[in-house]
Amino acid sequence: MARPAEVRQPAAPTSSRQAARKVRILGAAAELGAREGLASVQMHDVAKEADVAIGTLYRYFPSKPYLFLSVLEWHIDQFLGGRDTGPAGGEVTDPAGEVAQTLIDLSGKLLGSPLLASAVALSSFTEYASVVPTQIDIVERSLGQRLLRLLGDRADAETGRSRIRLLVYSWWGVFVAMLTQEISTEQGEADLRLAARLIAAP
């Protein structure tokens, strides 16, 4: 019996030129995904749009679902990079409120491009082991780190990390429910505020 193909590890850029090339690929995938949706986008199309060789594309992104999960992370990074980290003094007076507003605003940003939002959501539902070659620690990602800073040092480290995981999982579930119109945007925002109050409470 043939063994399943081993998932390749994605390469990391080692120069500013390679980093720029990787960003170009992410931008091309995001543009094509927003315009055509996941099913219609082919890896060759992304390579052509980004003006890179197909081998270069697969070097950084071993599969299409992995590519679009990376697009999601890239959009989250861009969103958080353009957002204030909090009050000038560094102290967040309403952590639960700040967490909820961050998640609500992020949802609105992603839902602003429905086809792209669907593409990244569908990619996340693909068989996980075949999509993500390396283990992902949600708390160490940019969104997890932002929420951790907003909550501050109000609990032991492991409890704090568990709270962040619960918040990100809750946000993702609500985001998908809004994307699929299972719930309204207003209900989704209310649910996120409730989740933040319940999970982020001291």
Side-chain angles (χ1 to χ4, degrees), residues 9-10 24 33 46 56 61 93 99 118 120 127 129 135 146 156 161 165 180:
Q9 298 299 314
R24 206 161 67 237
V46 176
T56 299
F61 306 101
T93 56
V99 164
S118 295
V120 298
E127 186 181 354
Q135 187 70 26
R146 175 61 60 87
D156 66 89
R161 294 176 72 84
R165 284 191 291 269
T180 58

Side-chain angles (χ1 to χ4, degrees), residues 121-139:
L122 284 169
S123 292
S124 75
F125 300 144
T126 305
E127 186 181 354
Y128 197 76
S130 68
V131 174
V132 183
T134 53
Q135 187 70 26
I136 288 180
D137 184 345
I138 288 173
V139 182

Side-chain angles (χ1 to χ4, degrees), residues 148 151-165 202:
L148 199 59
L151 290 184
D153 188 20
R154 299 179 298 114
D156 66 89
E158 193 48 47
T159 299
R161 294 176 72 84
S162 293
R163 283 179 173 169
I164 298 309
R165 284 191 291 269

Side-chain angles (χ1 to χ4, degrees), residues 1 18 26 29 33 39 45 50 54 64 77 81 100 108 116 133 149 162 170 173-174 177 183 199-200:
M1 177 184 292
Q18 290 179 357
L26 290 167
D45 299 331
I54 189 68
K64 186 166 76 167
D77 288 345
L116 181 58
R149 285 197 297 274
S162 293
S170 298
V174 172
I183 61 175
I199 298 170

Side-chain angles (χ1 to χ4, degrees), residues 97-192:
E98 288 288 338
V99 164
Q101 197 58 54
T102 297
L103 297 176
I104 288 168
D105 292 347
L106 175 57
S107 298
K109 173 72 173 175
L110 295 173
L111 290 169
S113 180
L115 281 178
L116 181 58
S118 295
V120 298
L122 284 169
S123 292
S124 75
F125 300 144
T126 305
E127 186 181 354
Y128 197 76
S130 68
V131 174
V132 183
T134 53
Q135 187 70 26
I136 288 180
D137 184 345
I138 288 173
V139 182
E140 296 302 324
R141 298 303 216 183
S142 56
L143 180 58
Q145 287 296 297
R146 175 61 60 87
L147 298 182
L148 199 59
R149 285 197 297 274
L150 289 174
L151 290 184
D153 188 20
R154 299 179 298 114
D156 66 89
E158 193 48 47
T159 299
R161 294 176 72 84
S162 293
R163 283 179 173 169
I164 298 309
R165 284 191 291 269
L166 287 169
L167 283 165
V168 174
Y169 293 147
S170 298
W171 164 69
W172 185 251
V174 172
F175 167 73
V176 171
M178 289 191 288
L179 174 63
T180 58
Q181 299 184 344
E182 180 182 340
I183 61 175
S184 66
T185 300
E186 293 75 18
Q187 184 62 57
E189 291 179 2
D191 288 352
L192 287 172

